[in-house]
Amino acid sequence: MQESRLDIPQILSRLPLFQELAREQIAALEPACRERRLAKGGMLFQKGDPAKGFFVVVFGQIKLAFPSSQGNEKVVEVLGARQSFGEAVMFMDRPYPVFAEALADSLLMHIGSAPVFALLETDPLFARRMLAGLSTRLHSLVQDVETYSLRSSAQRVVGYLLQHCPESESGESAFDISLPTSKQVIASRLNLTPETLSRIFHDLAANGLIGVSGKQITINDVKRLREFDL
Amino acid sequence: MQESRLDIPQILSRLPLFQELAREQIAALEPACRERRLAKGGMLFQKGDPAKGFFVVVFGQIKLAFPSSQGNEKVVEVLGARQSFGEAVMFMDRPYPVFAEALADSLLMHIGSAPVFALLETDPLFARRMLAGLSTRLHSLVQDVETYSLRSSAQRVVGYLLQHCPESESGESAFDISLPTSKQVIASRLNLTPETLSRIFHDLAANGLIGVSGKQITINDVKRLREFDL
DNA sequence: CGTACCTTTGATGTGAATCAAGAGTAGTGG
DNA sequence: CCACTACTCTTGATTCACATCAAAGGTACG
């Protein structure tokens, strides 16, 4: 949880959004960047806070969630290194509709809105990337709505596992995946209680489809898993 | 369901997205526009169809929904005059994640992607509007996810009614709203069965909060309704 | 090595879906 | 205009998926 000085231009230029920006365009962004360190459990912002820029995860892990009256909460997204969030809210200037909390010690970069708007004025390619980014996010939210609405809890879990399979693993052999965060958080992300998630893992394991050992999930039978997923 | 020729420039220039475009910018869009008429029940596109532009509703009503194995479906959105859809999918060029069906005889305009991309190259204000539009849509989808995840069926119904109240109706007096479409479709939009929606309307009416007569809903007590909504 | 939190497991409860009729309501055509 | 068909909507009985409640294990970390 330390690290002296950051090479902001390098961090920025490695982000998909900012790739292909000229050196001086990156430089223009730099003064609007602020680093933000958070210990595990730290709050980045609350639902309702005003937004005047967006965030990029340099390292660590951040969860976005809705608070709820009865202490329980609904996790909307879990973000890791290289991922960004808050762009949409910046374009509308509205308060954040979710809160953001660190799931691990994290380093974030906050990019103020002013130079982003300036870039938009002068660089159509940048605008295109921004549009593509928002579109992708919109698309995956629509997918989420489909998933929540049309699929059973077990199907949601299987879908989650399948999404997290190392690409191209359609072969015969078993392989492992490591859950990126606690089962509690994953359960909430899938709109389940931890109890239900635990039972589903148990059942899938009992049927030989997967093996569970802490955060290590062994996928024994991708094919039957996919069938399960209908 | 007829009407001879369309004044495309006028239709376009009345859309929020295209307002403030210069005459010649509108003119550049015109050749890429195709009108599309649909009778009630007609299909505009299926889930999985390729997208090469976006749509604007000139008049009528369109529903976007997911098909589902057991014949039931999940309505994602119901769109009326002046509303547009399909932009995100156009920016990613991916197939449509939903299907679109006319709920009433409708006239749509399809705007091909090429001149939109061209406009993006040359008009930063247009890009800004496009970003704002996508951001707004993203925001309301996030709200939907919150609603589906955190609220009971009755709360979702009350929330829906409240959203459809004529603005500023916070006074004492009762007033009516007219449901924009069938209760079936509204039920699906709210992730409910028609039976459940019917029962909730019944209960709210029994408590004197609303009155129901076909598509006319009388809001008797906005205040208690809001409290119900927590 | 103890305290705090995750995770599992079991027993029970419940909100909303499903199943099953009936009661409007609307278009259609003779 | 009425009869026919086809929905849409309501109402009641029943079921079921998942949540809730409760109590142990596990695991991690100061």
Side-chain angles (χ1 to χ4, degrees):
Chain A
M1 196 55 191
Q2 85 291 73
E3 190 160 333
S4 49
R5 203 84 280 282
L6 297 172
D7 184 350
I8 292 179
Q10 195 187 80
I11 289 167
L12 292 180
S13 61
R14 278 209 284 244
L15 296 173
L17 183 62
F18 295 128
Q19 265 166 36
E20 311 192 28
L21 285 191
R23 193 174 302 278
E24 65 275 15
Q25 290 178 303
I26 294 273
L29 245 18
E30 194 168 352
C33 291
R34 298 279 174 272
E35 64 179 274
R36 179 78 189 266
R37 286 170 198 275
L38 280 173
K40 179 173 178 173
M43 274 295 179
L44 181 60
F45 53 75
Q46 297 287 348
K47 172 169 176 173
D49 284 357
K52 63 262 167 277
F54 71 100
F55 291 95
V56 175
V57 181
V58 178
F59 65 75
Q61 196 172 51
I62 301 290
K63 101 180 160 197
L64 304 182
F66 297 107
S68 126
S69 23
Q70 307 90 301
N72 49 11
E73 58 184 40
K74 159 61 189 157
V75 174
V76 179
E77 203 51 276
V78 175
L79 301 154
R82 306 286 180 91
Q83 297 191 277
S84 62
F85 56 100
E87 297 93 329
V89 143
M90 165 181 92
F91 285 117
M92 298 188 300
D93 69 341
R94 289 240 223 160
Y96 291 108
V98 295
F99 70 87
E101 182 189 324
L103 292 173
D105 294 347
S106 303
L107 175 59
L108 304 177
M109 186 80 103
H110 181 264
I111 295 139
S113 43
V116 175
F117 287 135
L119 258 184
L120 245 27
E121 292 294 317
T122 58
D123 186 342
L125 178 62
F126 176 72
R128 275 288 286 276
R129 280 182 197 285
M130 204 84 213
L131 283 164
L134 288 186
S135 295
T136 302
R137 202 134 339 150
L138 199 50
H139 189 266
S140 57
L141 259 182
V142 167
Q143 293 284 93
D144 284 349
V145 169
E146 175 173 31
T147 299
Y148 297 143
S149 309
L150 254 33
R151 306 171 91 87
S152 71
S153 52
Q155 288 175 321
R156 298 203 292 277
V157 174
V158 169
Y160 180 86
L161 292 176
L162 256 17
Q163 276 191 337
H164 288 246
C165 284
E167 189 53 56
S168 80
E169 280 288 2
S170 24
E172 303 292 304
S173 55
F175 59 96
D176 276 30
I177 63 184
S178 176
L179 298 178
T181 184
S182 74
K183 290 176 186 171
Q184 286 189 104
V185 170
I186 292 170
S188 175
R189 172 68 247 264
L190 296 174
N191 247 7
L192 302 170
T193 57
E195 291 95 325
T196 299
L197 178 61
S198 175
R199 284 186 245 269
I200 290 170
F201 275 150
H202 179 91
D203 293 352
L204 292 174
N207 289 15
L209 297 180
I210 66 172
V212 181
S213 170
K215 289 192 198 301
Q216 296 304 311
I217 308 288
T218 308
I219 308 294
N220 293 321
D221 195 335
V222 199
K223 226 169 125 196
R224 268 169 72 211
L225 222 42
R226 275 195 226 283
E227 286 162 19
F228 195 104
D229 198 36
L230 292 180
Chain B
M1 195 57 191
Q2 85 292 69
E3 190 160 333
S4 48
R5 203 87 277 285
L6 297 173
D7 184 351
I8 292 179
Q10 196 187 80
I11 288 166
L12 292 181
S13 61
R14 278 209 284 246
L15 296 173
L17 182 62
F18 295 128
Q19 264 165 37
E20 309 192 30
L21 286 190
R23 193 174 301 279
E24 65 276 15
Q25 290 178 303
I26 295 273
L29 244 19
E30 193 168 350
C33 291
R34 298 279 175 271
E35 63 179 274
R36 179 79 189 266
R37 286 169 197 277
L38 279 174
K40 179 174 178 175
M43 274 295 181
L44 181 59
F45 52 74
Q46 297 287 348
K47 172 167 175 173
D49 285 355
K52 62 264 168 279
F54 71 100
F55 290 94
V56 175
V57 181
V58 179
F59 66 74
Q61 195 172 51
I62 301 290
K63 101 179 160 199
L64 304 183
F66 297 109
S68 124
S69 24
Q70 306 89 304
N72 49 10
E73 57 183 41
K74 159 62 187 155
V75 174
V76 178
E77 202 52 274
V78 176
L79 301 155
R82 307 284 180 91
Q83 297 192 278
S84 62
F85 55 100
E87 297 93 329
V89 143
M90 165 180 92
F91 285 117
M92 298 188 299
D93 71 341
R94 290 241 225 160
Y96 291 108
V98 296
F99 70 86
E101 182 190 324
L103 292 174
D105 294 346
S106 302
L107 174 59
L108 304 176
M109 186 82 103
H110 181 263
I111 294 140
S113 44
V116 175
F117 287 136
L119 258 184
L120 245 26
E121 293 294 317
T122 59
D123 186 342
L125 178 61
F126 176 71
R128 275 289 287 279
R129 280 182 195 285
M130 204 85 212
L131 283 164
L134 288 185
S135 295
T136 303
R137 202 133 340 152
L138 200 50
H139 189 266
S140 58
L141 259 182
V142 167
Q143 292 285 93
D144 284 349
V145 169
E146 174 174 30
T147 299
Y148 296 145
S149 310
L150 255 31
R151 307 172 90 88
S152 71
S153 52
Q155 287 175 322
R156 297 204 293 277
V157 174
V158 169
Y160 180 85
L161 293 176
L162 255 18
Q163 276 191 337
H164 288 248
C165 284
E167 190 52 58
S168 79
E169 280 288 4
S170 25
E172 303 291 303
S173 56
F175 59 96
D176 276 30
I177 62 184
S178 175
L179 299 178
T181 184
S182 73
K183 291 176 185 173
Q184 286 188 103
V185 170
I186 292 168
S188 175
R189 171 69 246 267
L190 297 173
N191 247 8
L192 302 170
T193 57
E195 291 95 324
T196 299
L197 179 61
S198 176
R199 285 186 246 269
I200 289 169
F201 275 150
H202 179 90
D203 292 353
L204 292 173
N207 289 15
L209 297 180
I210 66 172
V212 181
S213 170
K215 289 191 197 303
Q216 295 304 312
I217 308 287
T218 308
I219 308 293
N220 293 321
D221 196 335
V222 198
K223 227 169 123 197
R224 269 170 70 210
L225 223 42
R226 275 194 226 284
E227 287 160 18
F228 195 106
D229 199 36
L230 291 181

